[in-house]
């Protein structure tokens, strides 16, 4: 709140200035408004003050506004004496109403703050449960696979054929990669939210970067086709290659997880007008239109999808792209499939080479 940023002396000083300015404005307009209207204006001022400051300064505002109204506006002016019984009653009522109004407004503000804290606590608990539900499967499954495979290798090695051993080792490897990926996602999200991640900008061969990412899916693509369409003349770009590699990996992994076998994933990269653009698209079923706006939210998983994933992959993608001051757009293709477009402002090693293409 505003009051948290100011100490008590600062709050009292601001209140004095506000009441003084409002009173001066009313005094200059006294020929147009009566002193009774001035009382209403000062009451509104006290109410606004109560919405911003602590209780002691608010009570002070109620007191000082009553004295100001009496001294400058209630006849006889420039004196604290009140001669008319009606004015005495008005002054007394003003003072009481100003105090009650100030206290009630402050109490309402306190109640709103408590309600906000309660909602934040509920949201935290909900997020905690979501994290547990997501991780309970994604971490437990690969761990169980690793334990089961190692137990088989240790206890039944004499009865296992070479092919069996190779399969078990492959299971351990895949499960380890899956476990490592989830841990990396959690660490990356932690770094993004803490704001401690510093970009390591350096010159990068985008074509080489893309091919290196695709190589990681050699044994994981499950029959999916991955096509790369990048001009060999694309110059070096100054980016954080580690983050962009993770971005591409997450997007390809997401496609492989949800599109049908034998579906095709296309990766394109280009540079134009000081902007590096990646396009990752597939010919799968695409995303439900009513869920596209939510897919980059933390721990969000599409409804009616198979189990698997923590819902962090696309959220991290967006965070890494925004760390580069870029943006990512998701849309469904007209024919079929999803299309991610990433735009990153960056420097290149030879701008003329791009302009002459």
């Amino acid at each position: 709140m505003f009051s948290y940023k100011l100490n008590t002396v600062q709050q009292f000083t601001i209140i004095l200035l506000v009441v003084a300015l409002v009173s001066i404005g009313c005094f200059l307009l006294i020929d147009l408004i009566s002193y009774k209207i001035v009382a209403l204006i000062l009451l509104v001022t006290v109410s606004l003050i109560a919405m911003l400051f602590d209780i002691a300064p608010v009570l002070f505002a109620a007191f000082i506004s009553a004295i100001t109204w009496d001294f400058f506006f209630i006849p006889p002016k420039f004196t604290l004496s009140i001669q008319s019984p009606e004015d005495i009653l008005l002054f007394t009522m003003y003072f009481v109403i100003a105090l009650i109004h100030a206290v009630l407004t402050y109490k309402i503000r306190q109640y709103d703050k408590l309600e906000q804290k309660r909602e934040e606590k509920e949201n935290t608990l909900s997020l905690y449960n979501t994290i547990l539900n997501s991780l309970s499967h994604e971490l437990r499954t690969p761990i169980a696979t690793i334990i089961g495979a190692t137990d088989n290798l240790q206890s039944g090695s004499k009865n296992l054929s070479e092919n069996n051993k190779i399969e078990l080792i492959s299971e351990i490897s895949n499960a380890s990669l899956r476990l490592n990926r989830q841990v990396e996602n959690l660490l990356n999200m932690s770094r993004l939210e803490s704001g401690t991640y510093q970009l390591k900008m350096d010159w990068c061969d985008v074509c080489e970067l893309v091919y290196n990412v695709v190589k990681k899916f050699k044994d994981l693509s499950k029959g999916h086709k991955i096509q790369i369409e990048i001009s060999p003349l694309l110059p070096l770009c100054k980016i954080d290659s580690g983050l962009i590699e993770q971005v591409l990996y997450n997007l390809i992994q997401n496609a492989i997880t949800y599109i049908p076998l034998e579906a095709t994933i296309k990766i394109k990269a280009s540079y134009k007008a000081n902007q590096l653009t990646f396009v990752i698209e597939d010919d799968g079923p695409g995303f439900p239109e009513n869920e596209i706006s939510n897919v980059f939210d933390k721990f969000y998983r599409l409804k009616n999808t198979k189990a698997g994933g923590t819902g962090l992959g696309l959220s991290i993608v967006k965070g890494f792209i925004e760390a580069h001051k870029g943006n990512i757009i998701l849309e469904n293709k007209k024919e079929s499939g999803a299309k991610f477009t990433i735009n990153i402002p960056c420097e290149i090693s030879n701008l003329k080479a791009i302009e002459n293409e």
Side-chain angles (χ1 to χ4, degrees):
M1 294 297 293
F2 178 71
S3 61
Y4 294 162
K5 301 177 182 178
L6 303 172
N7 59 40
T8 303
V9 174
Q10 290 173 325
Q11 292 186 47
F12 275 99
T13 302
I14 292 175
I15 285 171
L16 277 174
L17 290 174
V18 170
V19 172
L21 289 173
V22 172
S23 299
I24 291 172
C26 291
F27 192 81
L28 295 175
L29 299 173
I30 195 63
D31 293 335
L32 302 176
I33 57 177
S34 69
Y35 67 92
K36 297 177 182 179
I37 298 298
V38 173
L40 295 176
I41 295 173
L42 289 173
L43 275 177
V44 171
T45 303
V46 172
S47 298
L48 294 175
I49 288 171
M51 296 172 64
L52 300 173
F53 297 98
D54 295 331
I55 187 63
V58 168
L59 294 176
F60 173 73
F63 173 77
I64 197 68
S65 66
I67 297 302
T68 301
W69 183 52
D70 177 18
F71 188 83
F72 289 101
F73 298 98
I74 298 178
K77 297 179 181 179
F78 311 114
T79 176
L80 294 177
S81 64
I82 304 175
Q83 297 178 353
S84 167
E86 179 184 356
D87 288 342
I88 293 174
L89 179 61
L90 283 174
F91 176 80
T92 304
M93 292 298 295
Y94 174 88
F95 188 70
V96 171
I97 291 172
L99 287 176
I100 294 175
H101 205 199
V103 171
L104 287 178
T105 304
Y106 179 79
K107 289 293 184 182
I108 291 172
R109 183 159 63 91
Q110 292 297 101
Y111 175 80
D112 288 341
K113 286 162 62 177
L114 290 174
E115 185 68 17
Q116 184 178 356
K117 288 182 179 179
R118 185 185 65 81
E119 291 179 359
E120 289 176 355
K121 184 177 180 180
E122 289 181 355
N123 291 336
T124 300
L125 288 173
S126 176
L127 180 60
Y128 177 75
N129 290 331
T130 301
I131 294 173
L132 283 181
N133 291 335
S134 297
L135 295 183
S136 62
H137 175 78
E138 279 303 301
L139 297 184
R140 187 182 301 167
T141 301
I143 290 173
T145 301
I146 293 170
I147 293 173
T150 51
D151 284 346
N152 286 331
L153 285 172
Q154 290 174 343
S155 62
S157 57
K158 294 180 180 179
N159 300 321
L160 293 174
S161 66
E162 286 301 316
N163 286 336
N164 293 145
K165 292 179 181 180
I166 292 173
E167 288 177 2
L168 289 173
I169 293 172
S170 178
E171 287 181 8
I172 293 173
S173 176
N174 291 336
S176 299
L177 289 173
R178 179 176 176 181
L179 184 61
N180 181 69
R181 184 169 65 251
Q182 299 308 331
V183 172
E184 282 292 325
N185 280 340
L186 288 172
L187 291 175
N188 287 331
M189 181 55 66
S190 177
R191 293 189 191 103
L192 284 172
E193 292 193 332
S194 65
T196 59
Y197 199 97
Q198 298 294 324
L199 292 180
K200 301 172 183 176
M201 307 295 282
D202 201 357
W203 297 110
C204 170
D205 186 332
V206 174
C207 188
E208 182 180 351
L209 182 147
V210 172
Y211 276 97
N212 286 339
V213 174
V214 172
K215 283 180 183 178
K216 295 180 180 180
F217 292 93
K218 183 178 180 181
D219 299 323
L220 301 174
S221 58
K222 303 175 184 178
H224 298 93
K225 301 174 184 176
I226 301 179
Q227 296 180 359
I228 301 174
E229 299 179 9
I230 302 176
S231 169
L233 299 178
L234 190 68
L236 299 178
C237 295
K238 200 168 190 179
I239 55 177
D240 187 324
S241 58
L243 293 195
I244 300 304
E245 184 173 321
Q246 187 65 50
V247 164
L248 298 177
Y249 184 95
N250 283 7
L251 290 174
I252 297 171
Q253 176 64 37
N254 185 79
I256 288 175
T257 302
Y258 295 107
I259 64 176
L261 292 175
E262 305 301 327
T264 300
I265 301 169
K266 292 182 180 180
I267 306 170
K268 304 175 184 178
S270 59
Y271 186 91
K272 185 178 181 181
N274 301 320
Q275 185 168 266
L276 175 63
T277 299
F278 290 98
V279 175
I280 297 89
E281 59 183 20
D282 60 68
D283 52 8
F287 288 79
E289 290 291 343
N290 61 333
E291 296 190 60
I292 285 181
S293 60
N294 300 321
V295 297
F296 295 108
D297 295 343
K298 285 185 303 182
F299 302 108
Y300 185 84
R301 297 186 66 251
L302 295 179
K303 299 173 184 177
N304 303 317
T305 55
K306 61 183 179 181
T310 57
L312 283 175
L314 294 183
S315 178
I316 290 169
V317 165
K318 183 181 180 184
F320 283 173
I321 295 302
E322 290 180 346
H324 280 81
K325 309 299 181 185
N327 63 74
I328 180 168
I329 301 169
L330 168 60
E331 57 188 337
N332 285 325
K333 298 192 299 182
K334 291 182 179 179
E335 56 277 14
S336 177
K339 177 181 177 182
F340 289 89
T341 303
I342 299 169
N343 298 305
I344 303 173
C346 70
E347 301 176 49
I348 61 169
S349 61
N350 189 353
L351 185 60
K352 291 182 179 179
I354 292 296
E355 291 175 344
N356 292 332
E357 285 186 21

